[in-house]
Amino acid sequence: MAVEAIKSHIGGRAVDGSGTPFDTVNPATGQVIGRVAAASPADVGRAVAAAKAAFDGWAGTTGTQRGRILREAVRLLRANRDRLARMEVEDTGKPIAEALSVDIDSGADAIEYFAGLAPSLHGTHHDFGRAFAYTRREPLGVVGAIGAWNYPIQIACWKSGPALACGNTMVFKPSELTPMTAVALAEIFAEAGLPPGVFNVVQGKGDVGHALVTHPEIAKVSLTGSVPTGRKVAAAAAGAMKHVTMELGGKSPLIVFADADVENAVKAAMMANFYTQGEICSNGTRVFVEASLHNRFMDALVARTQKMRIGDPMDPETQVGALISADHRAKVLGYVEAGVKAGARLVCGGRAPADPALAGGYFVEPAIFDACHDDMSIVREEIFGPVMTVLTFTDEDEAVRRANATEYGLAAGVFTRDLARGHRVVARLQAGTCWINTYNITPVEIPFGGYKQSGIGRENGLAALEHYTQLKSVYVETGDVDSPY
Ligand code: NDP
């Protein structure tokens, strides 16, 4: 297989980075698919300078002009769905069925939504008789954005859509493990007519991210990543009082009451744990089931999970692909071992599949642990793989207390047929996004982000506009200045 040279994209051009190059592999085969020309700190400086140079021009366009270019990028994203989805599958190991139905389109949806809002961005007017005031909603400047590897193009779109619609420019660093589609997005933006320098991509590892975050010309940092990285990045940004959006990890609860529709609850629990091999930040990995429903729930859950098709991610029938890397698989299998040692009952999965055709990739069969306790590491820590933990509870207060007993607060779900209880429980859950009788649905119209350690700020929805703009208040006197002097 040809090994692709993966470059940065600076000032409208593909650029060979002058940092230390590294290989990127297809997680489903372990084969090298690309050689990444990493950026050096000097390259990061060039990218930020290009974004800075493009800022006045881009911020000076009207919202309608920005929206038009962004909508053309949306058209191109959708027209290139197949090509981009295949690229994403090669890079991430996720099933092509998912990439075709979710990844590209949810990225395109975000850009389309903010393209539509761009012409309507406005300030307010305040009348004080012979004086008046108004506010201007202004862009922040150059945004430094850093992505995780689980939804590479979607994350790049979720960040660039609102940032660019608001008149900012951006330097984006994808995860070192998934360098390909951010460059494809930069090319699409260029083809759509985005001026050079408005959206730039720098390739590299954490050191490149650090150089970006600490660059003095970066006005705002937007990170999607783990809590430990978020702490480091937020601390580095705080040194220069930069704005931050932090989309971080989670260990979210899914509470299933005894009156729930069992089939729907089981389907949602599987979606909440096994979609994208469990590599989703908002996953409901602590499934609290009311004790009287436990046996019925488990029977249905295990029967369905055992039917899941694990295999070549490029096969449209595949439902479970490969984990992102050998290291990550080792981490996930380490958690499975720790769960067994701690006394949880491994009901199914949790191993590499026996199929020799999959031996080169980083596959793990979806695992369900029953008889879990709140203090086990598999229940407390984010595993970011296909590992579900099931716990039982006996009353509502107990379920809420245990669901909230975590440093995380990204998401939560409740299954019940009792409408009053559903709303009462979500009102008490400490989480940025809550679902009643479903899980992991994230339309662009609703804000997404974390409580507690799971993050700062919100992506999507009108709320994102607050995080990519700043307000200037202007007071205008039309009469004489009142003065005691
Ligand atoms: P990491 O925190 O390891 O990395 C995130 C990004 O930060 C990567 O691009 C990484 O580069 C970069 N980075 C690492 N160190 C630094 C540093 N010191 N300064 C600046 N940048 C740095 O997360 P993963 O990529 O492993 O992604 C998984 C995590 O992301 C999970 O915790 C998951 O929950 C979370 N996530 C959160 C989402 C949300 O919206 N809340 C959505 C998706 C994922 P490199 O890859 O090269 O190390």
Side-chain angles (χ1 to χ4, degrees), residues 22-43:
F22 57 88
D23 290 335
T24 187
V25 303
N26 179 341
T29 61
Q31 281 174 355
V32 173
I33 51 171
R35 181 104 179 123
V36 182
S40 64
D43 297 325

Side-chain angles (χ1 to χ4, degrees), residues 174-244:
S175 166
E176 68 179 274
L177 299 171
T178 52
M180 297 205 292
T181 47
V183 181
L185 176 64
E187 289 165 358
I188 280 175
F189 275 142
E191 194 182 336
L194 197 73
V198 174
F199 180 77
N200 308 273
V201 176
V202 288
Q203 302 287 358
K205 304 187 179 182
D207 58 323
V208 175
H210 183 74
L212 183 58
V213 170
T214 51
H215 193 291
E217 295 289 357
I218 292 289
K220 175 189 172 109
V221 176
S222 178
L223 170 82
T224 296
S226 62
V227 170
T229 303
R231 284 196 193 105
K232 276 190 240 164
V233 169
M241 213 59 85
K242 295 177 183 186
H243 297 247
V244 293

Side-chain angles (χ1 to χ4, degrees), residues 25-27 91-93 149-150 177-178 277 279 322-326 328-329 362:
V25 303
N26 179 341
D91 230 4
T92 61
W149 42 258
N150 60 339
L177 299 171
T178 52
Q277 308 79 237
E279 296 165 327
L323 294 179
I324 189 69
S325 66
H328 189 55
R329 179 174 64 173
Y362 315 128

Side-chain angles (χ1 to χ4, degrees), residues 3 116 129 173 197 234 300 302 332 364 405 477 481:
V3 170
K173 188 200 88 68
V302 174
V332 171
V364 172
E477 177 60 68
V481 172

Side-chain angles (χ1 to χ4, degrees), residues 83-134:
R83 178 177 70 86
L84 295 168
R86 294 182 77 79
M87 212 185 256
E88 202 73 314
V89 170
E90 281 207 324
D91 230 4
T92 61
K94 68 173 62 193
I96 186 87
E98 290 187 14
L100 282 172
S101 63
V102 173
D103 292 59
I104 316 305
D105 286 274
S106 76
D109 283 356
I111 299 179
E112 187 170 22
Y113 174 82
F114 290 106
L117 289 175
S120 303
L121 290 172
H122 60 81
T124 53
H125 179 270
H126 309 262
D127 198 351
F128 301 114
R130 57 169 217 199
F132 68 94
Y134 61 94

